[in-house]
Amino acid sequence: MAKNKTLIAVGFEGSANKIGVGVVALDGTILSNPRHTYITPPGHGFLPRETAHHHLRHVLPLLRSALDDADITPADVDCLCYTKGPGMGAPLQISAVAVRALSQLWGKPIVAVNHCVAHIEMGRVVTGAEDPVVLYVSGGNTQVIAYSEGRYRIFGETIDIAVGNCLDRFARVLTLSNDPSPGYNIEQLAKKGEKFIDLPYVVKGMDVSFSGILSYIEATAVEKLKNNECTPADLCYSLQETLFAMLVEITERAMAHCDKTDVLIVGGVGCNERLQEMMRNLKNDLLRKNNIYIPRHCCPQMLHSETNGRRPAAVDSRRSTRATFAGRKDAWVADAHLRFGDVYRQKINTAIV
């Protein structure tokens, strides 16, 4: 191989119901990014055991597809990356076991990646954002984050469930399809809504709470629909408007506190066009020069998801020369019980710029 060959990382992401394998070069170029989603029947969520079985069936075909699409061989790979956590324990283990086996077969080092940091760093790579306030919104996380004094710090977050989980669970109440995702189908139905229904609005300082809103709309939705007080579209519209207004409020407050003018939206809920529109309206209301960064892979035309193998690979292809490599016996996973800050304190993530 050429001495000045670009470093290449292969990343495995399987923290929830999507399994992805991404191949990324040192400069952030995405060479390939196949993935497959475990879709359950309407009205149902996904359980760890069944999700893990799905990942197990698809991880090797996805790896073959990723290498073929990138036109590389195992000899061209410099390191193997995987999502260490947070996430669902059983699905996470599939990627970890696959990486340990490949490391032994191919003789490649392993880099363990923090799920939360990968969302942010991949967004920065794709958009070129330098020092933004980050709104991280997904099915498992809702946080407003900024880089300060050498590390990412949380300035606000949900105190109970994530915004994506709130949307997904309400989709089950309406028995909406999970294909391609329940949040996407709520978004499409919300576009037809005409009547706004008052819902609890819970912002506590820099934090938000979604469980009470979900409980309220779950308890009242059936009765309101039965009495023809509203339509399912009205409920979806009202829920979206309320949740997203809360997120925009705490994001604006974080921008003022950190004296930052740019916002980067990452996570699966960042695909929602209404959230993007509300954040752009914030830009106009502030009457100052600022940028709202939305990674291309957050947009609906990209399969309505940002969860894929490029995340871990994008982070560590740029850091493989100075990241902490994990031995095969140390390539374990950390499940969803670990919070963002806890992961940092336990030092299981790789080096961060």
Side-chain angles (χ1 to χ4, degrees):
M1 288 187 292
K3 191 173 182 179
N4 60 348
K5 167 189 168 297
T6 299
L7 294 177
I8 293 176
V10 176
F12 293 75
E13 152 62 14
S15 57
N17 66 326
K18 187 182 296 293
I19 178 75
V21 180
V23 180
V24 180
L26 180 65
D27 60 2
T29 302
I30 311 298
L31 303 179
S32 64
N33 183 37
R35 62 267 197 195
H36 198 277
T37 305
Y38 174 50
I39 297 176
T40 56
H44 294 76
F46 50 92
L47 299 175
R49 181 193 294 262
E50 288 77 6
T51 307
H53 288 166
H54 166 270
H55 291 4
L56 186 60
R57 289 193 301 271
H58 290 281
V59 64
L60 290 182
L62 286 171
L63 174 61
R64 296 189 191 99
S65 177
L67 295 179
D68 290 343
D69 293 348
D71 194 23
I72 62 171
T73 66
D76 300 317
V77 176
D78 295 287
C79 67
L80 299 167
C81 315
Y82 76 101
T83 303
K84 194 166 190 174
M88 298 176 68
L92 281 170
Q93 291 178 29
I94 302 303
S95 295
V97 170
V99 164
R100 286 200 296 266
L102 290 172
S103 173
Q104 190 167 13
L105 288 170
W106 295 353
K108 306 295 181 180
I110 299 172
V111 180
V113 178
N114 178 289
H115 185 166
C116 309
V117 175
H119 268 292
I120 301 170
E121 288 296 301
M122 183 180 68
R124 290 184 59 227
V125 168
V126 172
T127 64
E130 293 185 3
D131 188 24
V133 167
V134 179
L135 176 61
Y136 174 22
V137 280
S138 68
N141 294 276
T142 299
Q143 295 162 329
V144 177
I145 303 164
Y147 196 77
S148 177
E149 298 180 0
R151 66 173 56 194
Y152 285 115
R153 301 180 185 274
I154 300 171
F155 287 86
E157 62 182 336
T158 176
I159 60 176
D160 38 58
I161 62 174
V163 62
N165 184 245
C166 181
L167 292 168
D168 291 351
R169 287 168 63 179
F170 183 62
R172 295 179 210 167
V173 174
L174 299 179
T175 62
L176 297 181
S177 171
N178 290 319
D179 186 10
S181 71
Y184 174 77
N185 292 321
I186 280 188
E187 177 187 359
Q188 301 312 306
L189 195 55
K191 293 176 181 178
K192 303 175 184 177
E194 298 177 351
K195 179 181 178 181
F196 180 80
I197 300 166
D198 286 330
L199 298 173
Y201 186 96
V202 190
V203 175
K204 301 183 177 183
M206 285 295 295
D207 295 330
V208 291
S209 173
F210 299 123
S211 61
I213 302 171
L214 178 64
S215 297
Y216 178 84
I217 197 169
E218 284 179 333
T220 60
V222 175
E223 182 179 354
K224 287 182 180 294
L225 292 173
K226 183 179 179 180
N227 296 334
N228 293 321
E229 297 178 32
C230 63
T231 65
D234 294 333
L235 290 171
C236 292
Y237 165 70
S238 303
L239 182 61
Q240 268 198 176
E241 293 297 304
T242 303
L243 300 181
F244 295 166
M246 293 162 57
L247 296 174
V248 171
E249 177 183 335
I250 62 172
T251 302
E252 180 180 8
R253 197 172 294 146
M255 293 172 67
H257 178 77
C258 300
D259 194 26
K260 297 181 187 291
T261 60
D262 297 340
V263 177
L264 172 66
I265 306 175
V266 299
V269 182
C271 302
N272 190 294
E273 293 179 345
R274 177 54 182 156
L275 176 59
Q276 298 171 15
E277 180 185 9
M278 292 175 72
M279 198 61 72
R280 290 192 178 100
N281 290 340
L282 166 64
K283 171 182 175 179
N284 297 331
D285 292 342
L286 292 175
L287 297 177
R288 62 183 181 184
K289 183 180 179 181
N290 64 338
N291 296 302
I292 309 299
Y293 291 100
I294 303 163
R296 180 173 56 88
H297 45 269
C298 268
C299 294
Q301 63 267 28
M302 297 300 289
L303 300 184
H304 320 291
S305 177
E306 193 210 7
T307 302
N308 45 62
R310 77 172 76 170
R311 273 215 312 265
V315 174
D316 288 297
S317 64
R318 298 192 304 152
R319 296 166 175 73
S320 58
T321 55
R322 54 189 176 86
T324 301
F325 293 111
R328 282 187 290 274
K329 67 177 181 179
D330 297 319
W332 45 274
V333 298
D335 65 18
H337 295 293
L338 284 177
R339 286 169 42 122
F340 189 93
D342 297 331
V343 174
Y344 266 100
R345 286 190 287 275
Q346 295 191 21
K347 297 181 180 179
I348 67 170
N349 59 288
T350 59
I352 304 301
V353 234

